[in-house]
Amino acid sequence: MKKKVAFQKEIEFPTMIGEISAISLEHDLEFIDSSNVEGSLLLTGKYKLTEASRLEEDFSYKIPTEIALSEKIDLGTAKIEIVDFYYEIKNDDTMICNIELEVDGVEIIELEEKEEILEEVRSSTLEERECDGDSKNMKEMELPKIEKEEKDENIEVKREENKEVSKKEEIMDIKESEEKEEIMVKEEKESSLFINLKEEKETYGTFLVYIVRQNESINSIIEKYNTNIEEIEKYNNLNDLNIGTKLIIPILND
């Protein structure tokens, strides 16, 4: 199961923000139980008071975060990662952060309700058999008082009743078999999902904002940050690349 959680946070700086020269977002979020995640998002980077300034100031903000899931996740396979992050500056001193997390893990499927239904079916079948047995005993006690033709007639009726009971039992056996097959299919799907989770690749959790300078090209930037053109194009429009253009560069977590 994969579930995306998107939210927005506002960070107020102590001074005016002229330009963000570097930024990254990490987290220490963890599952405290099968449905709840708690921890913090750590926002760090550098900024300038004005775009013309050469001096850079460091910033670091810890953002407390709580997530309550409607589903229950197996803690043995559960994990949470940052899959998207971008920001904008508001009123010259406030950063609005847009964050998207992805919760991944094997969902716990409740089977108690199906087991209760199966138990009710078994109890119902047992009661029908007991009632049929009592009815048979009562008829056998009355047989000495009934004439031979009536006796033969009752025997024939009883045979039909036994056939009906046999049909009901066959139907119940088929239903139980189908329900067991459904549970086995679900368990196989859960097992398959568990294997796929182990093979899943790491995603990006850190992003740098880079400003294109004179005599730089997209190839020199790619070589500098050890990335490739496909990853850069996921987050940027490279059709209009000029001096001063801001590029978002994803950095792969170790």
Side-chain angles (χ1 to χ4, degrees):
M1 184 208 80
K2 291 185 178 182
K3 183 180 183 67
K4 292 187 177 181
V5 180
F7 54 92
Q8 189 178 84
K9 295 285 186 180
E10 288 192 7
I11 307 296
E12 187 174 345
F13 280 57
T15 62
M16 184 175 67
I17 306 170
E19 181 182 307
I20 300 294
S21 54
I23 190 170
S24 68
L25 182 68
E26 298 178 348
H27 76 85
D28 61 4
L29 299 171
E30 59 182 16
F31 281 83
I32 60 172
D33 57 37
S34 59
S35 298
N36 292 279
V37 177
E38 288 186 3
S40 301
L41 297 169
L42 182 61
L43 182 69
T44 59
K46 297 178 180 293
Y47 76 103
K48 297 178 182 180
L49 298 180
T50 64
E51 292 187 1
S53 174
R54 293 185 178 183
L55 297 177
E56 293 182 328
E57 299 287 339
D58 293 329
F59 66 86
S60 177
Y61 293 97
K62 192 172 185 180
I63 308 170
T65 304
E66 295 182 0
I67 301 172
L69 302 173
S70 56
E71 303 86 352
K72 289 186 177 181
I73 306 297
D74 176 21
L75 296 180
T77 60
K79 64 179 180 178
I80 183 167
E81 295 179 344
I82 300 170
V83 295
D84 196 11
F85 164 61
Y86 62 94
Y87 69 89
E88 56 184 314
I89 305 301
K90 176 183 176 183
N91 298 331
D92 293 332
D93 64 352
T94 302
M95 177 185 291
I96 301 177
C97 300
N98 297 279
I99 304 164
E100 185 173 308
L101 304 175
E102 183 177 82
V103 179
D104 199 356
V106 176
E107 182 179 354
I108 299 174
I109 300 175
E110 301 291 348
L111 298 178
E112 289 84 354
E113 188 173 337
K114 278 190 173 291
E115 291 175 353
E116 289 177 0
I117 293 173
L118 288 172
E119 187 62 34
E120 289 176 2
V121 171
R122 294 191 189 101
S123 298
S124 176
T125 304
L126 181 60
E127 289 175 0
E128 288 179 2
R129 290 174 179 173
E130 290 175 351
C131 290
D132 290 338
D134 292 341
S135 177
K136 180 179 179 181
N137 291 334
M138 291 178 65
K139 288 184 178 181
E140 288 177 351
M141 292 174 64
E142 294 174 355
L143 283 177
K145 303 177 183 180
I146 302 174
E147 294 181 357
K148 185 178 181 304
E149 291 181 357
E150 292 177 340
K151 176 181 176 182
D152 294 338
E153 194 173 290
N154 286 335
I155 292 173
E156 188 63 31
V157 170
K158 185 59 184 177
R159 287 175 182 171
E160 294 298 325
E161 289 177 351
N162 288 336
K163 289 180 180 179
E164 290 295 326
V165 172
S166 297
K167 288 181 181 179
K168 288 181 180 179
E169 292 175 350
E170 289 176 1
I171 292 171
M172 292 302 169
D173 290 339
I174 291 172
K175 286 184 178 179
E176 289 181 6
S177 177
E178 289 175 348
E179 290 173 346
K180 288 179 180 178
E181 288 178 359
E182 289 177 2
I183 294 173
M184 290 175 65
V185 168
K186 286 190 176 181
E187 290 175 348
E188 289 176 358
K189 287 183 178 178
E190 291 175 1
S191 175
S192 175
L193 178 58
F194 180 81
I195 293 171
N196 291 336
L197 287 171
K198 292 182 179 178
E199 298 175 351
E200 195 169 67
K201 296 181 179 179
E202 294 291 334
T203 58
Y204 292 98
T206 303
F207 299 83
L208 295 179
V209 178
Y210 187 81
I211 300 174
V212 179
R213 296 175 173 80
Q214 190 172 5
N215 297 327
E216 286 187 326
S217 66
I218 189 63
N219 290 331
S220 65
I221 295 171
I222 288 172
E223 183 177 354
K224 180 177 181 180
Y225 287 98
N226 192 26
T227 183
N228 55 63
I229 189 69
E230 289 79 9
E231 293 300 329
I232 298 295
E233 285 179 337
K234 289 180 181 179
Y235 301 92
N236 304 274
N237 182 5
L238 302 182
N239 294 331
D240 188 16
L241 189 65
N242 299 305
I243 296 173
T245 300
K246 295 180 181 179
L247 295 177
I248 297 176
I249 301 176
I251 304 298
L252 183 63
N253 287 331
D254 293 331

